[in-house]
Amino acid sequence: MRVIAGEARGLTLVAPSDARPTSGRVREALFSSLGDVTGARVLDLFAGSGALAIEALSRGAERAVLVDRDREAFEACRANLETTRFTERARVLLRQVATFLEGPIPDEAPFDLVCCDPPYDQDEPELEAVLEELTEPGWLALEARVVIERAARRTREGGGEWSSAWKVGWERRYGDTLVTVLRPSQTT
């Protein structure tokens, strides 16, 4: 697995042994759809290898916070940040995502881009809880985007509808992976 573009382009990343890293094809398509991420503050939940946050940093994102509960994932993220020389622009937290989101809002917030790549077997209510926490004031910038990567075979009740707090900006299927980009539906 390699960084696709930007200042760390071509550098090899390591992944935890039980991870399902986002493929280069999916990362390339995703970041093409996102456009310019220069100056963005990124939150990578269920970070795994940290490839999504690192891709954003390589393309000019300002800061990133990577969160994963797995020790091996935590170590892979740290190693990958060292390899890409992004340790000064990112930090990795060894925590449950729910615990992190229930805690104090980090100094890096509000986030412009949130990458959420939970285990494919995670229940929809758990993902909804993550999204609900992100709607709390202070977490997201006004024009924030939340990227959800999940198994394409898992369909949502209601034919793919998200809660009224979110609107779909972009959605694509890549093999067994479904990538959805959400935006908050705030009216302010």
Side-chain angles (χ1 to χ4, degrees), residues 6-184:
E7 67 183 271
R9 179 181 180 177
L11 293 178
T12 301
L13 304 177
V14 297
S17 59
D18 63 345
R20 172 199 34 78
T22 304
S23 74
R25 182 178 87 142
V26 172
R27 280 183 285 129
E28 186 170 8
L30 171 62
F31 280 92
S32 290
S33 80
L34 292 173
D36 188 10
V37 294
T38 303
R41 288 160 291 167
V42 179
L43 176 60
D44 193 349
L45 302 174
F46 309 97
S49 66
L52 292 173
I54 288 168
E55 193 70 45
L57 289 167
S58 184
R59 294 167 185 250
E62 180 183 322
R63 302 273 312 144
V65 176
L66 295 78
V67 182
D68 204 296
R69 68 178 179 156
D70 181 75
R71 169 66 66 182
E72 190 180 355
F74 173 81
E75 295 299 338
C77 287
R78 288 180 54 181
N80 289 333
L81 289 168
E82 287 177 22
T83 296
T84 56
R85 297 186 178 101
F86 293 142
T87 55
E88 297 297 318
R89 293 169 43 202
R91 65 185 175 117
V92 185
L93 301 173
L94 180 60
R95 267 191 216 134
Q96 293 274 0
V97 168
T99 303
F100 169 75
L101 292 171
E102 291 166 359
I105 294 173
D107 293 340
E108 294 88 350
F111 294 100
D112 303 291
L113 176 62
V114 178
C115 301
C116 188
D117 185 6
Y120 274 11
D121 61 352
Q122 183 178 24
D123 292 331
E124 288 292 328
E126 293 175 60
L127 180 55
E128 289 291 341
V130 167
L131 292 172
E132 181 68 26
E133 288 292 335
L134 289 172
T135 63
E136 293 297 317
W139 280 102
L140 299 177
L142 186 61
E143 295 295 320
R145 293 167 290 179
V146 177
V147 176
I148 307 290
E149 184 179 334
R150 59 201 163 100
R153 71 186 185 300
R154 295 179 68 102
T155 59
R156 302 180 50 74
E157 288 185 29
E161 296 296 318
W162 295 88
S163 79
S164 62
W166 301 98
K167 58 186 174 185
V168 175
W170 182 85
E171 189 168 69
R172 299 287 184 281
R173 181 181 174 154
Y174 301 92
D176 69 342
T177 300
L178 181 65
V179 178
T180 307
V181 178
L182 301 174
R183 288 187 173 272

